[in-house]
Every structure is written in structure tokens, then in C-alpha cells.
DNA sequence: CGTTACCTGAAA
DNA sequence: TTTCAGGTAACG
């Protein structure tokens, strides 16, 4: 569920709360543990790794949250489709689908909730593995037009699929890819390698713009997403195309269409969004 | 590269 | 009853 703006909102909420605090309790639902931490990890191993550890900082890489521990290791957490992380007092009523709890030395607890149990925790010694499977951070200086252009070059796959690939850009998901392609006026099913320079430049800018807007609105709460305090975001009220099938385009009033691209539900305006291909071939004029 | 699986529920 | 869901990993 959460994409970069949602994960970043959670990170900003939780960072000041967990930084410098020590983990004093680790509870994980028995049935959830093997799915969460992998079949090889038992609760005692997890407890001995986390209990007594202080969290130095809370970072983010793509859609991953990184709890930096005082022993140099990192707890890498991914919320996948339905994960939530909320900061509570022990006396607060239990969250729906609460699967794990980290208790801190100030008496608060961080509650991990996950309806579908797709979320993951992994303890690592360094960020090497993440570095190999993730592309550039789109909100940082390392995200450069030249590298972005190169990542599209020669690829036959639909531009939407290439943007969803975390090796192209880290942190984009189904919502923000559809929104970025609308903003760049590009049809989602255009082969990535056929995009002309103009559309590539527009898309490069649009990726940052839609993510920035998502962060400003504290994430999109279409279904399960809530921030670190359990509150919904606002971005779902500001989307241009995502899940607006049949509703009028805000630019041209043409009904938004829904198609399947790379097995994913895809929303676009058939009038505003063109193929954006290089030179001839029924494109920019259409 | 596309397809399938992981899990649970809400909506059509 | 069937389909769909904001993600990824493991397949062929």
C-alpha cells in the first residue's frame, strides 16, 4: 500500500519519537512471525537482536524503513500492501490486525499492523543488499536526468512497468506512477525505449512533483494507509487519475479510462495522454 | 520478459 | 460468487 510519500510521512512522524529510545520489549504474533521475519527466525533470536538496543535514527530508502540500531545493525522494514506502524500507549485500545509490538523505554509502543501479512522485517549488517536492488532516490540529488534516460533506453516494456521497477526509480508504486504519467501527458502503455526527449524530460520532472505533492498531503489513504499517529492522509483527494475511472478528466472532461498494464490496474486520460514516441508513427499529432 | 504466489477482506 | 487491492519474490 504505501509508496514513497506514505513511507516518508511515517518516517517523519516516528523519527523524533524513536530516536535515542531503547527497545525493552518485542512481541510478535506466533502465526505472523515466519511470514514477517522469514521461516528461519524464531522469536528468541529476534528478541536477543532487538532487546536492549537503542534506535539511533530512522531512515528511509525507497519504500523501506531503516531503524538504525546502536550496535551498527539495521532493522529493515517493508509495509508492502497493508502494513501500518503506529505509536501508542500500552493502555490505548488494540489496533486492527496488530501483529507485532516493539516496547520502548519511555513506556510507549510501536505497533506493527498488517491485514495481509505481506510486510517484512529483516536485520542486516549493512545496506549492500538494498543498494543492489534499488535505483536512485527520486527526491535526492542522485536522481539525474541522464541516468533516468539511460534506464528507459532500449526497453520494450511499457513505461508504466519500467517506472514500477524499483531499480529504475526507488519508491514509485501504482498510484504515483499513474499520476506522474498523467502529469507528463504520456500514455502508460508506451514502450519506454520509444519515448522522445521532451516526454522523458516532462516525466523526470513529474516524478518528483507528484511525490512531493504526496508528501505535502501526508500520503494517500485510499484504503489502509495511516501515518505514524494512525491518522489518514489527504493525497487521495487530490489525485488526477488514480481510481477515477469514468469520471471526467480535470483538464479536458474526457472520462478517465482504466486498462491493465503489466498486470496492474492503470488509469489515464485518453485525450490528454499521448504515446510520446520519438518522431513519426501516429504520435504527437493524434 | 510475463505469470503466479503470498494473505485477508471489501466491493462488485 | 467473483474480482480486486497501494508490493515484491520466485518462478518458467
Amino acid at each position: 500500500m504505501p509508496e514513497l510519500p506514505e513511507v516518508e510521512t511515517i518516517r517523519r512522524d516516528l523519527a523524533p519519537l524513536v530516536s535515542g529510545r531503547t527497545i525493552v520489549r518485542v512481541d510478535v504474533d506466533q502465526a505472523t512471525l515466519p511470514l514477517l521475519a522469514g521461516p528461519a527466525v524464531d522469536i528468541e533470536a529476534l528478541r536477543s537482536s532487538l532487546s536492549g538496543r537503542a534506535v539511533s535514527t530512522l531512515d528511509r530508502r525507497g519504500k523501506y524503513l531503516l531503524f538504525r540500531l546502536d550496535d551498527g545493525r539495521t532493522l529493515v522494514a517493508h509495509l508492502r500492501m497493508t502494513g501500518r506502524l503506529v505509536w501508542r500507549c500500552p493502555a490505548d485500545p488494540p489496533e486492527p490486525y496488530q501483529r507485532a509490538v516493539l516496547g520502548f523505554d519511555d513506556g510507549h509502543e510501536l505497533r506493527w499492523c498488517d491485514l495481509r501479512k505481506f510486510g517484512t522485517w529483516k536485520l542486516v549488517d549493512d545496506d549492500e543488499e538494498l543498494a543492489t536492488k534499488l535505483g536512485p532516490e527520486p527526491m535526492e540529488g542522485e536522481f539525474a536526468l541522464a541516468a533516468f534516460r539511460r534506464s528507459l533506453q532500449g526497453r520494450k516494456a511499457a513505461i508504466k512497468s519500467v517506472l514500477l521497477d524499483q531499480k529504475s526509480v526507488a519508491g514509485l508504486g501504482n498510484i504515483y506512477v499513474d499520476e506522474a504519467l498523467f502529469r507528463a501527458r504520456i500514455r502508460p502503455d508506451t514502450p519506454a525505449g520509444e519515448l522522445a526527449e521532451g516526454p522523458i524530460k516532462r516525466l523526470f520532472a513529474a516524478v518528483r512533483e507528484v511525490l512531493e505533492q504526496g508528501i505535502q498531503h501526508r500520503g494517500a489513504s485510499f484504503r489502509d494507509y495511516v501515518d505514524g499517529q494512525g491518522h489518514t492522509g489527504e493525497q487521495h483527494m487530490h489525485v488526477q487519475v488514480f481510481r477515477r475511472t469514468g469520471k471526467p478528466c480535470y483538464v479536458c472532461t474526457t472520462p478517465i479510462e482504466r486498462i491493465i498494464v503489466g498486470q496492474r490496474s492503470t488509469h489515464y486520460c485518453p485525450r490528454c495522454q499521448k504515446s510520446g514516441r520519438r518522431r513519426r508513427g501516429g504520435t504527437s499529432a493524434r
Side-chain angles (χ1 to χ4, degrees), chain A residues 121-140:
Chain A
W121 287 8
K122 190 172 185 184
L123 270 159
V124 300
D125 294 321
D126 56 58
D127 293 357
E128 222 174 283
E129 193 187 316
L130 277 188
T132 64
K133 61 181 176 189
L134 296 182
E137 274 301 314
M139 307 308 283
E140 305 292 325

Side-chain angles (χ1 to χ4, degrees), chain A residues 180 183-186 197-207 209 276:
Chain A
R183 194 171 180 107
R185 307 196 305 277
I186 298 167
E197 181 62 13
I200 291 176
K201 282 192 173 134
R202 293 203 303 269
L203 184 55
F204 177 73
V207 164
E209 288 159 3

Side-chain angles (χ1 to χ4, degrees), chain A residues 160 174 178 242 245 258-261 263-267:
Chain A
K160 162 142 186 178
N174 215 25
D178 281 6
F242 187 77
T245 311
R258 176 180 176 274
I259 57 175
I260 301 297
V261 177
Q263 337 286 116
R264 307 299 299 279
S265 191
T266 299
H267 315 77

Side-chain angles (χ1 to χ4, degrees), chain A residues 18-268:
Chain A
V18 299
S19 295
R21 301 259 152 81
T22 298
I23 299 168
V24 296
R25 191 166 62 87
V26 179
D27 278 333
V28 184
D29 172 69
Q30 188 94 85
T32 304
L33 182 61
L35 298 167
L36 181 66
V41 177
D42 64 82
I43 186 65
E44 287 317 317
L46 192 65
R47 284 203 176 108
S48 74
S49 298
L50 293 175
S51 298
R53 299 271 63 78
V55 176
S56 48
T57 57
L58 180 57
D59 295 336
R60 179 190 56 74
R61 181 77 173 87
K63 301 172 193 171
Y64 293 85
L65 279 169
L66 312 177
F67 292 83
R68 306 293 189 187
L69 305 178
D70 62 356
D71 62 355
R73 305 188 82 198
T74 301
L75 175 64
V76 180
H78 197 301
L79 299 158
R80 294 289 184 96
M81 296 287 269
T82 56
R84 296 176 165 189
L85 263 178
V86 290
W87 186 252
R88 294 292 192 226
C89 293
D92 292 332
E95 311 299 313
Y97 309 106
Q98 186 171 312
R99 313 288 188 193
V101 176
L102 293 182
F104 285 85
D105 58 354
D106 70 338
H108 283 89
E109 52 189 42
L110 193 52
R111 298 179 180 176
W112 176 271
C113 313
D114 189 1
L115 187 158
R116 293 174 76 179
K117 303 180 190 169
F118 286 171
T120 57
W121 287 8
K122 190 172 185 184
L123 270 159
V124 300
D125 294 321
D126 56 58
D127 293 357
E128 222 174 283
E129 193 187 316
L130 277 188
T132 64
K133 61 181 176 189
L134 296 182
E137 274 301 314
M139 307 308 283
E140 305 292 325
E142 68 187 68
F143 186 48
L145 176 61
F148 181 63
R149 188 190 294 116
R150 237 176 292 126
S151 70
L152 309 184
Q153 226 164 38
R155 299 201 53 178
K156 286 183 163 179
I159 182 59
K160 162 142 186 178
S161 302
V162 172
L163 292 177
L164 283 174
D165 181 349
Q166 300 298 294
K167 293 204 78 164
S168 308
V169 181
L172 287 174
N174 215 25
I175 300 175
Y176 294 94
V177 164
D178 281 6
E179 294 298 305
L181 288 168
F182 174 79
R183 194 171 180 107
R185 307 196 305 277
I186 298 167
R187 282 184 55 116
D189 53 359
T190 308
E194 294 183 18
L195 286 180
E197 181 62 13
I200 291 176
K201 282 192 173 134
R202 293 203 303 269
L203 184 55
F204 177 73
V207 164
R208 279 204 170 145
E209 288 159 3
V210 299
L211 293 174
E212 181 56 41
Q213 194 195 33
I215 292 170
Q216 269 166 14
H217 289 134
R218 301 187 56 79
S221 295
F222 281 97
R223 206 190 190 99
D224 303 291
Y225 163 74
V226 291
D227 65 21
Q229 335 286 354
H231 300 131
T232 57
E234 303 278 314
Q235 176 60 18
H236 55 288
M237 320 242 235
H238 300 271
V239 293
Q240 304 292 296
V241 290
F242 187 77
R243 292 202 195 167
R244 293 197 63 247
T245 311
K247 302 210 172 96
C249 171
Y250 291 127
V251 172
C252 75
T253 75
T254 301
I256 299 303
E257 286 186 7
R258 176 180 176 274
I259 57 175
I260 301 297
V261 177
Q263 337 286 116
R264 307 299 299 279
S265 191
T266 299
H267 315 77
Y268 75 107

